[in-house]
Amino acid sequence: MSLQINGFNKLGQAAKAAGAAVFQVGSKVGGILTVAFGTVLGTAINGAAGSVQGFVKTGLDAYMSMERLDASLKQLVSTELRNKDANLSMADSLTQAGVKSKELIAWTQKLAIESPFSQAGVAQAFQMAKALGFTIDESKRLTGTLIDWSAATGKTEESMQRVTLALGQMQAKGKVSGEELLQLTEAGLPVRDILAKAFGKTTQEIIKMQEKGLIPAKDAIAAIADSLDKDFGGAAKRQSETMTGLLNSLQDLTQVSIREFFTGTFEAIQ
């Protein structure tokens, strides 16, 4: 009996020691991941081990953020549908917009994983382009093009938004003005050179044409997009293969995984 008690005591001590070792290893792994792969992934693992409540809150925040994005995109699609068909009711347009909004969410998610920008940043750039009067397809192309340009030149989301705003203002005016040329130049786009090459003119001739209002906005925007596609197309995806790009992609993938892990539960609660 004494031997059995001693045996159980030793077994318990061994299990306790093993558990402590596993916990220490887990903490170290979480710490290593935090340093090597960014705070999001490390925090997710440490949070799952140390605080279930915190992990659930992270999932809830991610789910709610996606809900807001879905509602916003659905409204944008619905508005475009009703602009094309005045007889379409709000209810019908929202129903039809549901499928398209899911496609757009998947598109922003894919673009975020393959670029230095977050899904929220990609969605914001798209929404801004759409709000400035571009169609959904035009907004998608413009967003993808500017993300490639930003990734290749080290620009920020703010620079991308400045370019989008300038192009939107240009489209609203219907022609190229000095104000938009200045905004684009300040954002880092050699827009006069791009237009000169596209129209077969010198930069001085482009300036004179712009002063006379002879450059249609539609042609100028197409020329700028074509030039950026030619020079920087695929840059964001190529950058995702670097260590910096890998870290950004891991953060996006972690966010997606956490959200999808809880989606079924939150939908059931609703």
Side-chain angles (χ1 to χ4, degrees), residues 23-24 28 40 56-57 59 76 85 96-98 121 143 148 151 159 162 193 197 235 243 251 263 267 270:
F23 179 81
Q24 290 175 358
K28 289 179 180 179
V40 174
V56 172
K57 185 180 184 303
L76 288 177
D85 183 359
Q96 294 180 28
T143 300
D148 280 333
S159 297
R162 288 175 63 189
D193 292 336
K197 185 176 181 180
M243 181 55 71
Q251 292 182 31
T263 292
E267 287 180 346
Q270 287 177 308

Side-chain angles (χ1 to χ4, degrees), residues 119-131:
Q119 186 173 8
V122 173
Q124 186 175 13
F126 169 81
Q127 290 169 315
M128 184 176 186
K130 187 69 184 71

Side-chain angles (χ1 to χ4, degrees), residues 59-206:
L60 180 59
D61 289 342
Y63 179 78
M64 291 171 62
S65 176
M66 188 55 56
E67 265 194 333
R68 290 191 295 270
L69 177 58
D70 181 50
S72 175
L73 293 176
K74 190 179 294 184
Q75 186 62 53
L76 288 177
V77 175
S78 171
T79 300
E80 182 167 304
L81 290 173
R82 284 184 289 113
N83 286 338
K84 292 179 179 179
D85 183 359
N87 296 319
L88 192 64
S89 68
M90 172 69 79
D92 289 340
S93 67
L94 286 172
T95 299
Q96 294 180 28
V99 175
K100 187 65 176 180
S101 69
K102 294 293 189 295
E103 292 176 358
L104 287 172
I105 287 175
W107 170 76
T108 59
Q109 182 173 291
K110 182 175 184 293
L111 204 54
I113 293 171
E114 295 180 349
S115 76
F117 302 108
S118 65
Q119 186 173 8
V122 173
Q124 186 175 13
F126 169 81
Q127 290 169 315
M128 184 176 186
K130 187 69 184 71
L132 288 168
F134 294 101
T135 66
I136 289 175
D137 290 338
E138 289 171 342
S139 298
K140 286 180 67 176
R141 188 204 175 184
L142 185 59
T143 300
T145 296
L146 291 179
I147 283 178
D148 280 333
W149 167 73
S150 300
T153 58
K155 301 296 183 182
T156 63
E157 290 180 3
E158 181 182 0
S159 297
M160 186 168 60
Q161 290 166 7
R162 288 175 63 189
V163 172
T164 303
L165 177 60
L167 294 177
Q169 291 173 337
M170 186 186 297
Q171 174 162 284
K173 292 178 180 178
K175 62 182 180 180
V176 176
S177 73
E179 181 183 359
E180 283 75 55
L181 288 183
L182 179 59
Q183 289 176 348
L184 292 170
T185 301
E186 289 176 341
L189 270 181
V191 64
R192 289 186 177 87
D193 292 336
I194 290 174
L195 294 180
K197 185 176 181 180
F199 292 105
K201 306 288 184 179
T202 65
T203 54
Q204 289 302 315
E205 288 174 325
I206 286 295

Side-chain angles (χ1 to χ4, degrees), residues 141 145 221-231:
R141 188 204 175 184
T145 296
I221 293 171
I224 293 169
D226 288 342
S227 177
L228 294 182
D229 278 340
K230 181 179 178 181
D231 292 339

